[in-house]
Amino acid sequence: MPVARASSDSSQAAAEPVRRAPGRARRGSSQPAGRTDGRSPAPVLVRVTRSGIEESVHRGHVVETDADGRMLHVLGDPDRLVTLRSTVKPFGLLSLIEAGGVEAFDVSTAELAMMASSHSGEDLHVRTLQALYRRARISQAMLGCGAEGMPLDALTAARLARDGEKASPVRHMCSGQHTVFLLLCRLRGWDPEGYWRDEHPSQVAYREAVARAFGTTPERLSLAIDGCGIATYAFPLREVARAYAMLAEPTSLPATDPRRSLAPGLALIRDAMLAHPELVGGTRDRLDTSLMKAVPGRIVAKAGMEALRGMAILRGPRTGSFDGPSGLVVKIEDGDGYDRGTWAASVEALRQAGLLDGSALRQLARYHRPVETDPHGRIAAESIVDFQLAPVGELIG
């Protein structure tokens, strides 16, 4: 089982510039998906059983660090390169905050949460964004995120279909993130046309904020194309965990750390997400929202596509000896199209990290051990966690 090396500039290694072919995004790695540079296969995190018969397994990685990058727990490969996808959103939002956008547009905490979200496209999400658009005098017709497969919320999608209404881009789960670019254009006087292109100044500003949050420079970022048409960025899991640890308690960074200047903005984003968990995800079947409601004020959870989840654990009592802020990241290797592996592994990792027990686990039971039922309500299959985290000190001591 691979464990952390004693020291590593993995942020720099992940951010090596990749030569770009015309019309193509720079890619973070030439390694095929699921490969880890010849290392052993990722460990099994979740087993799917049907009447006691193992049907499937979900392999993956779990990494927990503090804001300095010190490894607390690890299972699998902490240097596994991943694209951030929607886990980047709390950090990219810094671009608008540092440009003065909160003051310029009188942005509320609910609206901040929306711009860091992957929302379900419910009416409350649409209303929240539309109020901001009216105040900022921008049109939702400018959104370039598309609307394919949206909204995520099944009941809202069924209602729209019943009424013969086609979902507009504002119901896309990434419309909040795209709102950041439109507001930057409005604030700076930039032409919003093609705001989703890498070279557009709003993308440049967003990229600079992400680079600072991850302790690197824009030139060293490895880019790829996200599903909503904008850039995403590649980092090792240990660096994603470190960024989320910083989100948990931005002021924990020493004054000499260049990232310390981001602390006020990150604290604003963290508190907005904590205050509005339904806006970060949705009111139904969204684990990020359910986690934040199960342990109020203790965790910020943010999923990304292809079964990646970043979790910022705030300071406070846990079972075990560690009670400081940390970042915990879970990655399922197969992309987990059913969510069952990511759900189960995320809840179990938090339990083993000492954050969840008792009533919180009961609230999260349907995520912790997802089941498939037949038409008569009988349990046909279950997803069962099967891994054990150990403190890194025990692994290498």
Side-chain angles (χ1 to χ4, degrees):
M1 176 178 64
V3 297
R5 293 190 292 269
S7 64
S8 163
D9 189 3
S10 53
S11 175
Q12 179 173 331
E16 286 295 336
V18 179
R19 192 171 298 278
R20 178 178 186 179
R24 299 291 298 276
R26 289 169 289 176
R27 297 189 181 277
S29 172
S30 60
Q31 193 74 3
R35 290 276 300 281
T36 51
D37 297 325
R39 295 184 174 97
S40 300
V44 172
L45 301 184
V46 179
R47 300 183 186 275
V48 182
T49 65
R50 188 176 298 270
S51 298
I53 301 167
E54 184 175 283
E55 269 196 330
S56 305
V57 297
H58 294 291
R59 296 180 179 272
H61 314 269
V62 182
V63 180
E64 184 183 15
T65 77
D66 64 15
D68 291 326
R70 182 172 65 94
M71 204 73 64
L72 303 174
H73 291 96
V74 62
L75 182 64
D77 184 2
D79 292 314
R80 168 66 158 91
L81 194 69
V82 295
T83 51
L84 295 177
R85 307 297 294 271
S86 288
T87 64
V88 76
K89 291 174 180 176
F91 308 102
L93 180 51
L94 287 165
S95 60
L96 181 65
I97 292 174
E98 296 207 315
V102 171
E103 297 80 9
F105 302 116
D106 194 22
V107 176
S108 68
T109 57
E111 291 160 350
L112 279 175
M114 282 295 302
M115 287 187 281
S117 77
S118 294
H119 63 83
S120 293
E122 300 170 60
D123 289 351
L124 81 158
H125 303 121
V126 172
R127 288 195 300 268
T128 303
L129 286 177
Q130 287 176 336
L132 178 57
Y133 295 164
R134 287 192 296 270
R135 203 163 58 251
R137 300 194 305 281
I138 60 176
S139 170
Q140 67 187 50
M142 298 175 179
L143 286 168
C145 51
E148 183 69 25
M150 300 294 151
L152 292 181
D153 182 62
L155 291 180
T156 302
R159 191 197 77 221
L160 293 177
R162 180 200 66 199
D163 296 343
E165 182 180 344
K166 184 179 179 181
S168 64
V170 75
R171 292 195 186 271
H172 192 285
M173 62 181 176
C174 295
S175 61
Q177 181 186 30
H178 282 241
T179 299
V180 175
F181 306 121
L182 294 177
L183 291 177
L184 282 170
C185 290
R186 185 82 175 86
L187 184 66
R188 298 298 198 193
W190 298 328
D191 184 354
E193 181 69 24
Y195 73 80
W196 44 270
R197 297 183 182 277
D198 289 354
E199 64 273 14
H200 192 278
S202 66
Q203 293 293 325
V204 173
Y206 199 90
R207 191 155 60 243
E208 288 173 349
V210 172
R212 289 174 61 204
F214 279 80
T216 186
T217 62
E219 297 76 19
R220 302 190 72 84
L221 289 173
S222 295
L223 274 65
I225 302 174
D226 208 338
C228 62
I230 60 172
T232 186
Y233 316 93
F235 285 97
L237 288 170
R238 65 164 76 228
E239 293 300 327
V240 185
R242 186 179 75 139
Y244 270 83
M246 179 177 63
L247 179 63
E249 191 171 310
T251 56
S252 67
L253 296 171
T256 54
D257 191 318
R259 297 174 298 157
R260 180 59 186 263
S261 63
L262 302 174
L266 282 173
L268 195 63
I269 294 163
R270 177 201 63 193
D271 293 346
M273 297 175 77
L274 289 171
H276 302 281
E278 293 90 351
L279 299 182
V280 175
T283 63
R284 290 178 284 269
D285 294 325
R286 299 302 303 275
L287 178 56
D288 289 340
T289 296
S290 296
L291 284 172
M292 288 189 277
K293 293 180 74 172
V295 279
R298 290 297 310 281
I299 183 171
V300 173
K302 186 70 202 70
M305 293 297 287
E306 295 302 320
L308 179 68
R309 174 168 279 104
M311 294 169 279
I313 303 174
L314 279 67
R315 183 184 301 275
R318 304 195 216 175
T319 57
S321 58
F322 186 77
D323 62 0
S326 69
L328 179 64
V329 177
V330 173
K331 166 66 179 174
I332 301 295
E333 281 289 310
D334 59 28
D336 192 23
Y338 293 97
D339 284 331
R340 62 197 181 192
T342 318
W343 284 357
S346 295
V347 175
E348 178 64 13
L350 287 168
R351 185 193 72 80
Q352 293 191 32
L355 185 67
L356 300 178
D357 60 11
S359 63
L361 278 176
R362 288 191 290 274
Q363 290 180 55
L364 297 166
R366 65 193 178 95
Y367 300 107
H368 196 193
R369 191 162 176 156
V371 300
E372 175 191 329
T373 58
D374 73 0
H376 310 289
R378 297 178 299 179
I379 294 177
E382 297 178 283
S383 297
I384 303 168
V385 291
D386 185 19
F387 65 90
Q388 184 65 46
L389 294 180
V392 168
E394 293 182 11
L395 295 173
I396 62 178

